Amino acid sequence: IHLPAMVFAVYGIFARKLYPENQIDWRSIRADVKIPLGLLILAVIVVPWHVLIWKAGGLDGLGHTFVQEYIIRQHIGRFRGLDTVHNAPIFTFFGYFLVGFFPWSCFTPAAFRTRHYPTADASVQAQNEFQYYLLTWFWTIFIFFSLGAAKLPTYIVPIYPAAALITGRFAELLLLSGRHEKELLEFQRLSRRGALWALIVAVLLFITVLIAPSHVPAASPIPRSILSAAEALAATLLAFSALSWIVTFRGKRVNFRISAASYILMLLIVTGIGCTSGYTIAKSEILGPYQRLASRADEQARSGVPIIYYHIIPRRPSMLYYSNYSPIERKEEPFLPAVPTGSTECSVITSHPVYKNLLTPELAKQSLWEVSEIQMDGDPETGWVLINLKQEKAATK
């Protein structure tokens, strides 16, 4: 609720200062967006969940109440940078938006600057007002989350509807630009520039996919099947972006319809692959292995054995969803100090590279703990392991 309220507040308070060239009719905007109905729909969706969780009470695995964990730690704490894993520089969301809204993100700079030509027509005036409101919506949320320390791609999802509407209006003006020669030449230039930037971004994405294996953390190597799928998707983006760029220079007039159709077909193909075979591969090679092992550790946890998630970088929050226990999460080296004092047995979930390169050499140097059980899931080289450690030698003595 706080995001739309913040947008309305910024627009209502600063609209005339932000857009002095236009007389903003706040009452018209308020009527068009139907604030009461929107707030009611939003409340029906979000309020029941919050009320039920709050009434459930209790403490989580860290001893936090709902208010302490959900509001203070997950909201205020993340904004202030207490969750160091997700902290990122202030300009991070420019990159996230560029990729997340691709290829249309390459046209948004022109779309954000585009206005209808000055006219006394009331309908054009109303469209300009709506454009200003959309810009306020986009930049208010974008800047708000950029000022926070923690940054994830999902944080700026609320700006995409505004960006889509702004870019759609730009496309509409481009399709109607033939009425005036001045407009036609201007939109030709802007569309060619957007297509060029889309091609440049596609080339950079393709290069990134090719060099990624040599730059990922040793503890989190990328499975070969994932790399192959990513290469195919990146090649698709590159091919269609190149086609769209070539089309914009065909003849004296910009053939925007063919160029836009090419982008749309590209997105349909990429989405189709991602939602079918791409998701299947990601589920079996990335998500599934550590989620299944987290679930398999339930039996040991029920018997009182501490479960340690060791050196999992980046953190996998979904492991907590598939577990019915509160694990110990540690990433520091060496491993053995992470074992709770007094415990003679523990189970560890980690990636196979961490087990091979960190845990095995460390355990080989001591004689107290012995590996009594190993379960593996996923690719033999890039998958995950669940190991059980016991102080069998100490018990024998």
Side-chain angles (χ1 to χ4, degrees):
I1 294 177
H2 67 283
L3 290 179
M6 185 166 53
V7 172
F8 286 129
V10 171
Y11 188 84
I13 295 173
F14 300 106
R16 294 187 180 183
K17 294 182 178 179
L18 293 173
Y19 316 114
E21 71 275 16
N22 257 49
Q23 185 71 22
I24 305 299
D25 186 353
W26 169 246
R27 289 176 298 179
S28 173
I29 292 293
R30 183 175 58 188
D32 290 341
V33 297
K34 297 178 174 58
I35 297 176
L37 178 60
L39 291 177
L40 176 62
I41 295 174
L42 182 63
V44 169
I45 296 174
V46 303
V47 169
W49 182 88
H50 287 81
V51 171
L52 290 174
I53 295 297
W54 177 70
K55 283 189 173 182
L59 305 175
D60 65 5
L62 299 175
H64 296 160
T65 64
F66 171 72
V67 174
Q68 290 173 328
E69 175 64 19
Y70 180 69
I71 297 179
I72 297 177
R73 182 169 178 266
Q74 296 296 338
H75 284 76
I76 300 175
R78 280 177 180 252
F79 193 87
R80 294 176 56 193
L82 300 182
D83 184 12
T84 57
V85 175
H86 298 137
N87 290 353
I90 192 171
F91 298 109
T92 299
F93 283 128
F94 283 99
Y96 286 156
F97 176 73
L98 180 63
V99 177
F101 199 57
F102 183 84
W104 314 118
S105 56
C106 298
F107 295 87
T108 52
F112 284 4
R113 296 195 307 269
T114 299
R115 302 289 186 274
H116 287 276
Y117 283 83
T119 176
D121 187 273
S123 63
V124 174
Q125 171 71 10
Q127 291 183 37
N128 279 334
E129 291 178 2
F130 189 55
Q131 173 87 350
Y132 300 141
Y133 171 71
L134 293 174
L135 289 171
T136 305
W137 172 357
F138 181 95
W139 287 114
T140 298
I141 296 177
F142 188 93
I143 293 173
F144 173 77
F145 282 112
S146 294
L147 294 176
K151 294 177 178 65
L152 288 174
T154 51
Y155 289 1
I156 58 170
V157 166
I159 72 174
Y160 288 131
L165 289 170
I166 295 173
T167 308
R169 292 181 73 251
F170 172 75
E172 180 187 16
L173 292 175
L174 181 59
L175 293 174
L176 300 176
S177 61
R179 297 179 182 177
H180 304 285
E181 187 66 23
K182 179 181 178 182
E183 291 179 346
L184 176 61
L185 295 175
E186 176 65 12
F187 283 116
Q188 282 182 340
R189 183 180 64 82
L190 293 176
S191 61
R192 286 170 176 167
R193 181 183 297 177
L196 176 60
W197 277 110
L199 176 59
I200 293 174
V201 172
V203 170
L204 294 177
L205 288 174
F206 186 73
I207 294 174
T208 300
V209 170
L210 294 180
I211 66 175
S214 60
H215 291 82
V216 298
S220 303
I222 303 175
R224 183 62 249 178
S225 57
I226 297 296
L227 285 174
S228 298
E231 290 169 357
L233 292 175
T236 301
L237 294 179
L238 178 57
F240 279 93
S241 296
L243 173 62
S244 297
W245 176 70
I246 293 173
V247 167
T248 61
F249 285 90
R250 182 181 179 183
K252 296 182 180 180
R253 294 175 60 88
V254 174
N255 202 332
F256 181 74
R257 288 180 175 84
I258 297 178
S259 179
S262 177
Y263 286 130
I264 293 172
L265 179 60
M266 173 189 75
L267 293 176
L268 289 175
I269 293 175
V270 170
T271 302
I273 296 175
C275 293
T276 54
S277 59
Y279 176 80
T280 301
I281 295 173
K283 177 67 177 177
S284 61
E285 298 291 347
I286 297 181
L287 306 175
Y290 59 72
Q291 292 173 352
R292 287 189 290 266
L293 290 183
S295 180
R296 290 176 190 173
D298 281 345
E299 183 177 352
Q300 290 98 321
R302 284 195 296 269
S303 63
V305 176
I307 311 297
I308 302 175
Y309 293 172
Y310 180 61
H311 213 283
I312 299 177
I313 303 174
R315 187 171 179 260
R316 270 71 170 186
S318 65
M319 294 177 68
L320 303 177
Y321 177 84
Y322 287 92
S323 63
N324 295 313
Y325 51 86
S326 297
I328 301 170
E329 299 184 73
R330 294 289 185 273
K331 61 180 179 180
E332 296 79 14
E333 303 175 28
F335 161 76
L336 290 176
V339 179
T341 303
S343 298
T344 59
E345 182 180 0
C346 69
S347 291
V348 185
I349 298 178
T350 189
S351 66
H352 183 270
V354 169
Y355 172 70
K356 178 181 178 181
N357 299 321
L358 296 181
L359 273 180
T360 298
E362 180 181 350
L363 294 173
K365 295 178 181 179
Q366 54 80 48
S367 58
L368 185 61
W369 295 91
E370 289 190 350
V371 179
S372 59
E373 180 181 356
I374 299 180
Q375 293 181 341
M376 302 184 65
D377 202 324
D379 186 274
E381 295 299 323
T382 62
W384 293 75
V385 296
L386 166 63
I387 65 175
N388 184 261
L389 302 180
K390 291 182 180 179
Q391 294 185 2
E392 293 184 350
K393 292 189 176 182
T396 303
K397 293 181 180 179

